[in-house]
């Protein structure tokens, strides 16, 4: 299997021809200096990974041909990451690391103390794709549109448990506990959670408040730490 891995939107299958767009041509033929006959690994998040051959290589376009399936489609455990967006580069970091850590869905949420006004969903999705390309898997998490936390909690499926990372518990030994099944992790903004949000979460049977250790972590660090803790205790690190 080629080490050059490329995410494409196109369907993949035996003999399938896959067009190369301008950005992909730049990456494959200019940056990686691949020529016709060279192999690449393709995935689209649906059809597994496929070994493909470069058929045409141009400056702005090209063509690939799928040869054989290299891996079946996989998916990480059913874990969502809900987080309040912070500064742009740090929000990008969260999307990238959430993908590497095996989040199945990434949901930016506005909270009472969120500073970031807007989030470019397409930009975060592109970061998730790039992270998936280097991860070696075949899965790309979906990045949802920014939505108010209150609305997300109003429509919450009670069978999905929520690991509520509560900075007020820093220093306590409150670990994630709960049944196997769908889960989500919730990380607050730089200003933490409001009393109103705490009360709302305390009233939810599905919400489990947890500590991420003795120190208050920045939100981006907290997202990675929380996903690590969950994967270790409930997820696919076991
Ligand atoms: N301004 C808040 C304060 O001083 O208490 C800190 C907010 S922290 C920068 C951002 C988010 O990371 C928090 O809302 C929480 O979700 C998470 N977090 C950071 N450290 C944590 C800890 N030790 N335990 C649980 N959650 C933590």
């Amino acid at each position: 299997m080629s080490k050059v891995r490329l995410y494409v939107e196109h369907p993949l299958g035996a003999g399938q021809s896959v067009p190369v767009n301008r950005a992909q041509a730049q990456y494959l033929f200019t940056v990686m200096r691949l020529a016709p006959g060279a192999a690449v690994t393709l995935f689209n998040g649906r059809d597994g990974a496929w070994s493909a051959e470069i058929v045409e290589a141009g400056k702005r376009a090209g063509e690939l041909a799928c040869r054989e399936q290299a891996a079946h489609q996989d998916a990480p455990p059913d874990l969502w990451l809900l987080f309040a967006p912070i500064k742009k580069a740090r929000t990008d970091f969260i999307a990238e690391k959430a993908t590497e850590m095996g989040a199945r869905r990434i949901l930016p949420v506005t909270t009472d103390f969120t500073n970031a006004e807007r989030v470019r969903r397409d930009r975060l999705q592109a970061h998730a794709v790039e992270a998936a390309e280097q991860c070696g898997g075949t899965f790309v998490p979906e990045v949802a549109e920014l939505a108010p936390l209150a609305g997300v909690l109003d429509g919450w499926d009670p069978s999905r448990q929520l690991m509520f990372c509560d900075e007020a518990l820093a220093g306590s030994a409150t670990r994630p506990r709960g049944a196997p099944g769908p889960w989500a992790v919730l990380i607050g903004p730089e200003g933490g959670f409001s009393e109103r949000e705490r009360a709302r979460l305390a009233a939810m049977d599905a919400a489990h408040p947890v500590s991420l250790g003795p120190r208050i972590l920045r939100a981006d660090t907290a997202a990675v730490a929380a996903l690590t803790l969950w994967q270790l205790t409930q997820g696919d690190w076991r």
Side-chain angles (χ1 to χ4, degrees):
M1 212 184 342
S2 167
K3 281 190 180 153
V4 178
R5 304 182 80 251
L6 188 69
Y7 172 85
V8 294
E9 300 281 352
H10 209 269
L12 301 175
Q16 178 76 56
S17 163
V18 179
V20 172
N21 66 29
R22 191 179 180 139
Q24 292 164 339
Q26 161 80 11
Y27 169 66
L28 292 176
F29 313 139
T30 306
V31 178
M32 302 308 291
R33 299 184 171 276
L34 297 178
V40 294
T41 301
L42 303 180
F43 67 107
N44 61 7
R46 306 182 301 275
D47 300 324
W50 284 78
S51 297
E53 185 183 323
I54 298 174
V55 178
E56 268 178 51
K59 274 206 160 136
R60 295 184 180 81
E63 191 191 330
L64 310 172
C66 289
R67 294 298 180 223
E68 59 183 16
Q69 190 162 31
H72 291 292
Q73 181 60 45
D74 62 6
D78 191 356
L79 174 66
W80 294 359
L81 172 67
L82 276 65
F83 74 99
I86 40 178
K87 291 192 183 86
K88 201 160 67 173
R90 293 186 176 277
T91 299
D92 292 348
F93 174 93
I94 290 175
E96 180 184 292
K97 299 307 162 201
T99 305
E100 291 178 37
M101 297 305 301
R104 202 184 272 197
R105 198 159 173 245
I106 300 171
L107 298 90
V109 290
T110 44
T111 63
D112 288 345
F113 298 152
T114 300
N115 289 326
E117 291 293 310
R118 59 188 284 271
V119 158
R120 290 259 316 269
R121 197 206 73 82
D122 57 340
R123 183 187 158 104
L124 294 185
Q125 188 68 66
H127 279 281
V129 164
E130 271 183 36
E133 282 174 342
Q134 74 83 42
C135 269
T138 58
F139 185 81
V140 182
E142 179 216 358
V143 179
E145 290 290 354
L146 181 67
L149 175 64
V152 173
L153 296 183
D154 283 347
W156 197 255
D157 169 1
S159 70
R160 181 174 297 278
Q161 297 175 82
L162 182 62
M163 180 172 147
F164 161 39
C165 298
D166 184 358
E167 66 276 2
L169 294 178
S172 72
T174 325
R175 291 276 171 274
R177 279 194 198 91
W183 272 83
V185 160
L186 172 62
I187 301 292
E190 284 159 357
F193 291 99
S194 69
E195 284 312 316
R196 184 171 68 152
E197 288 164 342
R198 271 170 211 294
R200 176 81 179 81
L201 288 157
M204 283 175 67
D205 286 341
H208 304 267
V210 300
S211 161
L212 296 176
R215 291 164 288 276
I216 301 284
L217 308 175
R218 280 156 68 141
D220 46 349
T221 316
V224 178
L227 293 169
T228 306
L229 185 59
W230 189 88
Q231 290 289 20
L232 186 64
T233 54
Q234 322 256 65
D236 61 9
W237 286 23
R238 291 186 285 175

